[in-house]
Amino acid sequence: MNIGEIARRAGVSRSTVSYALSGRRSVSTATRRRIQAVIDEIGYRPNAAARALKEGRTRTLGLVIPPASLRLTDMQLGFVASVVEAAARADLDVLLSPSGGDHDRSFERLISGRRADGVILMEIRLEDERVTRLRHEGIPFVTIGHTAHPDGTCWVDVDYAALVARCVHHLADLGHRSIALLNRSAELVAVGYGPAHRAQAGFAEAVLHRGLTGIELPCPDDAAAGEEWIEQLRDRYPDVTAITTINEASLPGLQRGLERLGIAVPRELSIAGVAARHWAEGFRPQLTAADVPTLEMGAHAVELLLERIAAPAGPPRHLLLAPPISLRDSTGPVHPH
């Protein structure tokens, strides 16, 4: 049953029914009662969009994700799942919108169509035009990650610079003098992807502070690339005795490569990094790592966004997380070759 049918039965125009349902314009009491009588008789339930019109809210949050053509990493999927779960607890729906590449039309529709009460952005670049666009439109938003100048925005992030530096200090304390950074892809570094740049900065600073030799090698986000990466490292930098990484998607390949090359961890090569706990615990031997609290981050992002929607002029809040490094079995003292 639609609005047209209600209008026909009540003997009024469609727009009058729409106004009666949405409350956007006043409708005479007699007309409203006539429309209500038809609705009661036929058991019409206004859909979510009509309810939203009445409330001035869509009860939907937009979540802007990387293009689906780039297979989402496990961490990215974790963020998506945690945002959807936290939104469901608040009785809200989540509209997924890919952005980047050929997908900017989807992001544009989300914004210009006001399809959501607020937006959560993932995969933030140091200079991010999506953030600029949302600020300009005045739409409440929160970022998972933060730009180079995040003043005035709400965000949740992991302190990649501090955590990578901590990994380097831990490895240096074990006697390692030549350490490699297994970073994210060269493409992500080139476009100014926040975590990749902050990992670089934290690594460079800690290596300099401890007087170490530091090698930084980018690596695409997949297992095959991880396997290739360790082969290249062994060929070009045989003196490296330790690795730190933020690229959890490459870990299964890294492990395969280590096994194929017969490299014993941690006796011949120590590894420490930043990864979700199940990746760290699934590595063999288990990975010494700062465990990224994916679920909490998604929940915090939704919480900050709901605050922003309720009070758009309120002071912006952010959360920079630096989880402790869990010492597991992949790091040990350096052994002379």
Side-chain angles (χ1 to χ4, degrees):
M1 181 63 64
N2 60 29
I3 284 177
E5 182 64 15
I6 295 167
R8 192 181 64 74
R9 290 192 183 205
V12 297
S13 69
R14 290 171 63 98
S15 57
T16 302
V17 175
S18 180
Y19 295 144
L21 287 171
S22 68
R24 279 188 303 165
R25 287 195 195 171
S26 60
V27 174
S28 74
T29 307
T31 304
R32 189 184 293 279
R33 280 184 184 148
R34 202 156 70 244
I35 291 168
Q36 192 59 53
V38 172
I39 288 172
D40 292 343
E41 183 191 332
I42 61 180
Y44 173 76
R45 295 179 62 150
N47 64 19
R51 272 204 316 278
L53 273 172
K54 193 170 181 178
E55 296 173 8
R57 290 271 169 89
T58 64
R59 297 207 61 77
T60 300
L61 305 181
L63 176 60
V64 181
I65 60 173
S69 54
L70 306 173
R71 201 164 44 84
L72 296 184
T73 67
D74 200 70
M75 196 181 289
Q76 290 165 346
L77 285 171
F79 286 136
V80 172
S82 64
V83 165
V84 169
E85 197 175 298
R89 284 199 296 272
D91 195 26
L92 299 170
D93 295 325
V94 175
L95 177 62
L96 296 183
S97 169
S99 78
D102 301 326
H103 298 278
D104 288 330
R105 285 194 309 279
S106 171
F107 178 62
E108 197 52 45
R109 279 196 302 273
L110 176 68
I111 294 178
S112 57
R114 297 277 168 160
R115 294 181 168 194
D117 298 326
V119 174
I120 294 174
L121 284 180
M122 287 171 55
E123 304 297 289
I124 303 300
R125 300 174 180 188
L126 296 177
E127 303 294 332
D128 203 307
E129 59 200 20
R130 300 170 306 168
V131 171
T132 310
R133 180 91 171 81
L134 285 165
R135 289 181 93 156
H136 178 72
E137 288 293 328
I139 295 172
F141 71 94
V142 170
T143 60
I144 297 179
H146 65 293
T147 61
H149 305 287
D151 308 338
T153 61
C154 292
W155 51 272
V156 181
D157 205 357
V158 168
D159 194 344
Y160 284 98
L163 294 179
V164 167
R166 247 187 241 168
C167 288
V168 170
H169 288 301
H170 168 61
L171 294 165
D173 290 345
L174 291 168
H176 296 278
R177 309 297 304 158
S178 185
I179 301 175
L181 170 64
L182 194 175
N183 204 346
R184 302 287 290 275
S185 73
E187 289 78 12
L188 284 175
V189 173
V191 298
Y193 177 59
H197 278 258
R198 294 187 177 103
Q200 273 181 335
F203 182 73
E205 193 180 328
V207 161
L208 183 67
H209 181 74
R210 299 298 291 261
L212 311 174
T213 301
I215 312 294
E216 194 226 325
L217 284 178
C219 177
D221 289 344
D222 63 74
E227 194 165 352
E228 202 176 302
W229 187 93
I230 188 64
E231 285 177 16
Q232 279 189 11
L233 182 76
R234 258 317 195 229
D235 283 348
R236 291 161 59 189
Y237 305 101
D239 293 338
V240 166
T241 60
I243 295 168
T244 184
T245 182
I246 65 162
N247 190 333
E248 63 175 25
S250 69
L251 289 176
L254 178 67
Q255 184 170 349
R256 276 204 307 270
L258 290 166
E259 287 166 0
R260 200 157 49 75
L261 295 168
I263 298 169
V265 177
R267 185 175 169 78
E268 293 173 75
L269 191 71
S270 282
I271 308 169
V274 182
R277 175 176 290 172
H278 71 274
W279 278 104
E281 291 179 346
F283 198 79
R284 290 292 173 267
Q286 290 197 359
L287 191 70
T288 290
D291 303 331
V292 176
T294 317
L295 289 175
E296 293 93 314
M297 286 177 75
H300 283 310
V302 170
E303 186 184 318
L304 286 181
L305 183 56
L306 293 181
E307 279 180 20
R308 208 76 186 134
I309 291 166
R317 294 208 299 131
H318 69 265
L319 197 63
L320 186 61
L321 302 167
I325 289 175
S326 300
L327 297 177
R328 298 189 180 96
D329 306 323
S330 65
T331 52
V334 70
H335 286 272
H337 284 299

Short mmCIF file of all heavy atoms in Angstrom, two decimals, residues 245-276:
data_model
loop_
_atom_site.label_atom_id
_atom_site.label_comp_id
_atom_site.label_asym_id
_atom_site.label_seq_id
_atom_site.Cartn_x
_atom_site.Cartn_y
_atom_site.Cartn_z
N THR A 245 57.16 -4.27 11.36
CA THR A 245 56.18 -4.15 10.28
C THR A 245 54.84 -3.62 10.77
O THR A 245 54.48 -3.81 11.94
CB THR A 245 55.96 -5.51 9.59
OG1 THR A 245 55.03 -5.34 8.51
CG2 THR A 245 55.42 -6.56 10.56
N ILE A 246 54.12 -2.93 9.85
CA ILE A 246 52.71 -2.57 10.12
C ILE A 246 51.81 -3.23 9.07
O ILE A 246 50.64 -2.94 8.98
CB ILE A 246 52.49 -1.04 10.13
CG1 ILE A 246 52.74 -0.42 8.75
CG2 ILE A 246 53.32 -0.36 11.19
CD1 ILE A 246 52.13 0.96 8.57
N ASN A 247 52.41 -4.09 8.23
CA ASN A 247 51.68 -4.68 7.10
C ASN A 247 51.22 -6.10 7.45
O ASN A 247 51.85 -7.09 7.06
CB ASN A 247 52.58 -4.69 5.85
CG ASN A 247 51.83 -5.07 4.59
OD1 ASN A 247 50.83 -5.78 4.64
ND2 ASN A 247 52.31 -4.61 3.46
N GLU A 248 50.10 -6.20 8.18
CA GLU A 248 49.67 -7.52 8.65
C GLU A 248 49.23 -8.44 7.51
O GLU A 248 49.36 -9.64 7.60
CB GLU A 248 48.57 -7.40 9.71
CG GLU A 248 47.30 -6.75 9.20
CD GLU A 248 46.17 -6.75 10.22
OE1 GLU A 248 46.44 -6.79 11.42
OE2 GLU A 248 45.01 -6.68 9.79
N ALA A 249 48.72 -7.86 6.40
CA ALA A 249 48.24 -8.68 5.28
C ALA A 249 49.38 -9.46 4.62
O ALA A 249 49.14 -10.47 3.95
CB ALA A 249 47.52 -7.82 4.26
N SER A 250 50.61 -8.99 4.79
CA SER A 250 51.76 -9.67 4.17
C SER A 250 52.31 -10.79 5.05
O SER A 250 53.17 -11.56 4.62
CB SER A 250 52.88 -8.66 3.88
OG SER A 250 53.45 -8.21 5.10
N LEU A 251 51.84 -10.89 6.29
CA LEU A 251 52.45 -11.82 7.26
C LEU A 251 52.40 -13.29 6.84
O LEU A 251 53.41 -14.00 6.99
CB LEU A 251 51.79 -11.65 8.64
CG LEU A 251 52.12 -10.35 9.39
CD1 LEU A 251 51.33 -10.26 10.69
CD2 LEU A 251 53.62 -10.25 9.66
N PRO A 252 51.27 -13.81 6.30
CA PRO A 252 51.29 -15.23 5.90
C PRO A 252 52.36 -15.51 4.84
O PRO A 252 53.02 -16.56 4.88
CB PRO A 252 49.88 -15.46 5.33
CG PRO A 252 49.04 -14.41 5.99
CD PRO A 252 49.93 -13.21 6.12
N GLY A 253 52.55 -14.60 3.90
CA GLY A 253 53.57 -14.78 2.87
C GLY A 253 54.96 -14.66 3.44
O GLY A 253 55.88 -15.40 3.06
N LEU A 254 55.12 -13.71 4.38
CA LEU A 254 56.41 -13.55 5.05
C LEU A 254 56.79 -14.86 5.73
O LEU A 254 57.93 -15.33 5.62
CB LEU A 254 56.32 -12.42 6.08
CG LEU A 254 57.56 -12.14 6.91
CD1 LEU A 254 58.70 -11.60 6.05
CD2 LEU A 254 57.24 -11.15 8.05
N GLN A 255 55.82 -15.47 6.40
CA GLN A 255 56.09 -16.73 7.10
C GLN A 255 56.46 -17.85 6.11
O GLN A 255 57.42 -18.59 6.34
CB GLN A 255 54.86 -17.15 7.91
CG GLN A 255 55.13 -18.41 8.72
CD GLN A 255 54.02 -18.72 9.71
OE1 GLN A 255 53.13 -17.91 9.95
NE2 GLN A 255 54.09 -19.89 10.29
N ARG A 256 55.72 -17.92 4.99
CA ARG A 256 56.06 -18.93 3.96
C ARG A 256 57.47 -18.72 3.44
O ARG A 256 58.23 -19.68 3.26
CB ARG A 256 55.07 -18.82 2.78
CG ARG A 256 53.78 -19.56 2.97
CD ARG A 256 53.13 -19.92 1.64
NE ARG A 256 52.96 -18.79 0.75
CZ ARG A 256 51.88 -18.00 0.71
NH1 ARG A 256 50.88 -18.25 1.55
NH2 ARG A 256 51.78 -17.01 -0.14
N GLY A 257 57.82 -17.47 3.17
CA GLY A 257 59.15 -17.15 2.65
C GLY A 257 60.24 -17.53 3.64
O GLY A 257 61.28 -18.09 3.25
N LEU A 258 60.02 -17.24 4.90
CA LEU A 258 61.01 -17.59 5.94
C LEU A 258 61.22 -19.09 5.99
O LEU A 258 62.36 -19.57 6.08
CB LEU A 258 60.52 -17.08 7.31
CG LEU A 258 60.53 -15.57 7.51
CD1 LEU A 258 59.71 -15.19 8.75
CD2 LEU A 258 61.96 -15.04 7.65
N GLU A 259 60.11 -19.85 5.91
CA GLU A 259 60.20 -21.31 5.96
C GLU A 259 60.93 -21.85 4.74
O GLU A 259 61.78 -22.74 4.84
CB GLU A 259 58.79 -21.92 6.07
CG GLU A 259 58.19 -21.72 7.46
CD GLU A 259 56.68 -22.01 7.51
OE1 GLU A 259 56.11 -22.38 6.44
OE2 GLU A 259 56.08 -21.85 8.59
N ARG A 260 60.61 -21.27 3.57
CA ARG A 260 61.23 -21.76 2.33
C ARG A 260 62.73 -21.47 2.30
O ARG A 260 63.53 -22.27 1.80
CB ARG A 260 60.54 -21.11 1.12
CG ARG A 260 60.74 -21.87 -0.19
CD ARG A 260 59.64 -21.57 -1.19
NE ARG A 260 59.39 -20.15 -1.36
CZ ARG A 260 60.19 -19.33 -2.05
NH1 ARG A 260 61.29 -19.80 -2.60
NH2 ARG A 260 59.90 -18.06 -2.17
N LEU A 261 63.10 -20.33 2.86
CA LEU A 261 64.53 -19.95 2.89
C LEU A 261 65.26 -20.58 4.08
O LEU A 261 66.48 -20.44 4.20
CB LEU A 261 64.66 -18.43 2.96
CG LEU A 261 64.16 -17.64 1.73
CD1 LEU A 261 64.07 -16.15 2.06
CD2 LEU A 261 65.05 -17.88 0.54
N GLY A 262 64.51 -21.26 4.94
CA GLY A 262 65.13 -21.92 6.09
C GLY A 262 65.66 -20.95 7.13
O GLY A 262 66.68 -21.22 7.78
N ILE A 263 64.98 -19.80 7.29
CA ILE A 263 65.43 -18.80 8.27
C ILE A 263 64.72 -19.03 9.59
O ILE A 263 63.49 -19.01 9.67
CB ILE A 263 65.13 -17.36 7.75
CG1 ILE A 263 65.88 -17.10 6.45
CG2 ILE A 263 65.50 -16.32 8.81
CD1 ILE A 263 65.46 -15.83 5.72
N ALA A 264 65.50 -19.28 10.64
CA ALA A 264 64.92 -19.56 11.95
C ALA A 264 64.56 -18.25 12.67
O ALA A 264 65.38 -17.35 12.77
CB ALA A 264 65.89 -20.36 12.79
N VAL A 265 63.29 -18.16 13.13
CA VAL A 265 62.82 -17.01 13.91
C VAL A 265 62.62 -17.48 15.35
O VAL A 265 61.97 -18.49 15.58
CB VAL A 265 61.48 -16.49 13.32
CG1 VAL A 265 60.94 -15.33 14.17
CG2 VAL A 265 61.65 -16.04 11.87
N PRO A 266 63.19 -16.79 16.35
CA PRO A 266 63.95 -15.54 16.28
C PRO A 266 65.46 -15.71 16.23
O PRO A 266 66.17 -14.71 16.25
CB PRO A 266 63.53 -14.86 17.59
CG PRO A 266 63.41 -15.98 18.56
CD PRO A 266 62.86 -17.15 17.76
N ARG A 267 65.96 -16.97 16.16
CA ARG A 267 67.40 -17.16 16.27
C ARG A 267 68.17 -16.38 15.20
O ARG A 267 69.17 -15.72 15.49
CB ARG A 267 67.75 -18.66 16.20
CG ARG A 267 69.21 -18.90 16.41
CD ARG A 267 69.61 -20.36 16.48
NE ARG A 267 71.06 -20.44 16.41
CZ ARG A 267 71.89 -20.19 17.43
NH1 ARG A 267 71.40 -19.83 18.59
NH2 ARG A 267 73.20 -20.27 17.28
N GLU A 268 67.69 -16.45 13.94
CA GLU A 268 68.40 -15.76 12.85
C GLU A 268 67.77 -14.41 12.51
O GLU A 268 68.43 -13.54 11.95
CB GLU A 268 68.41 -16.64 11.60
CG GLU A 268 69.25 -17.90 11.73
CD GLU A 268 69.07 -18.79 10.51
OE1 GLU A 268 69.63 -18.44 9.45
OE2 GLU A 268 68.37 -19.82 10.62
N LEU A 269 66.49 -14.28 12.79
CA LEU A 269 65.79 -13.04 12.43
C LEU A 269 64.66 -12.79 13.43
O LEU A 269 63.80 -13.65 13.61
CB LEU A 269 65.21 -13.18 11.01
CG LEU A 269 64.66 -11.91 10.37
CD1 LEU A 269 65.80 -10.95 9.99
CD2 LEU A 269 63.86 -12.24 9.12
N SER A 270 64.69 -11.63 14.08
CA SER A 270 63.62 -11.27 15.01
C SER A 270 62.59 -10.40 14.28
O SER A 270 62.96 -9.61 13.40
CB SER A 270 64.19 -10.49 16.21
OG SER A 270 64.79 -11.38 17.13
N ILE A 271 61.32 -10.54 14.66
CA ILE A 271 60.25 -9.76 14.01
C ILE A 271 59.31 -9.19 15.08
O ILE A 271 58.88 -9.92 15.98
CB ILE A 271 59.42 -10.64 13.04
CG1 ILE A 271 60.34 -11.39 12.07
CG2 ILE A 271 58.42 -9.79 12.26
CD1 ILE A 271 59.64 -12.46 11.26
N ALA A 272 59.04 -7.89 14.97
CA ALA A 272 58.08 -7.23 15.86
C ALA A 272 57.24 -6.28 15.03
O ALA A 272 57.72 -5.76 14.02
CB ALA A 272 58.80 -6.46 16.96
N GLY A 273 55.98 -6.06 15.42
CA GLY A 273 55.16 -5.19 14.57
C GLY A 273 53.91 -4.67 15.23
O GLY A 273 53.74 -4.72 16.44
N VAL A 274 53.03 -4.16 14.37
CA VAL A 274 51.73 -3.64 14.78
C VAL A 274 50.69 -4.43 13.99
O VAL A 274 50.71 -4.41 12.76
CB VAL A 274 51.60 -2.13 14.45
CG1 VAL A 274 50.25 -1.59 14.94
CG2 VAL A 274 52.75 -1.34 15.07
N ALA A 275 49.81 -5.17 14.68
CA ALA A 275 48.86 -6.04 13.98
C ALA A 275 47.71 -6.39 14.92
O ALA A 275 47.84 -6.30 16.14
CB ALA A 275 49.56 -7.33 13.52
N ALA A 276 46.58 -6.79 14.32
CA ALA A 276 45.46 -7.28 15.14
C ALA A 276 45.92 -8.56 15.84
O ALA A 276 46.73 -9.33 15.31
CB ALA A 276 44.26 -7.56 14.25
#
